[in-house]
Amino acid sequence: GHRGVPRPLWQSVREGGTVTVLYSPDNPRRNFPLGAGVTSLGLTVFVSAMGAAFAAVGSLLLRGYFRSGRGDA
C-alpha cells in the first residue's frame, strides 16, 4: 500500500533516505510513517468520546431553546 505524508516530512527526507514506519505488533496492518498518523488509539477514543458528549449537550440545549418558543422566527 501507500500513504501520504505531511509536507515537512516529505521535504526533510532526501532521495535514498529512510523513513521510520511505526506499526502495531498486534496488528501490523495498522501502520504509518513516523509523524504522519495517529500515535495513540486511546487518544483517538478520548477525543471521539468528548466530541460526542459536546454534541449531545449542544443538542439538548438547542432542543430546550426551541421548545421554550425562543427559537421561533
Side-chain angles (χ1 to χ4, degrees):
H2 44 87
R3 165 124 184 164
V5 296
R7 184 176 294 271
L9 175 60
W10 179 261
Q11 292 175 339
S12 71
V13 178
R14 298 184 188 271
E15 187 173 336
T18 60
V19 174
T20 303
V21 176
L22 302 177
Y23 69 95
S24 169
D26 298 330
N27 182 5
R29 299 183 94 186
R30 185 172 185 265
N31 59 69
F32 50 86
L34 180 63
V38 178
T39 57
S40 168
L41 181 59
L43 178 62
T44 303
V45 171
F46 174 75
V47 170
S48 297
M50 292 303 293
F54 282 119
V57 169
S59 174
L60 290 173
L61 289 173
L62 284 174
R63 187 174 169 186
Y65 179 75
F66 283 105
R67 279 194 174 171
S68 69
R70 291 186 222 157
D72 293 336

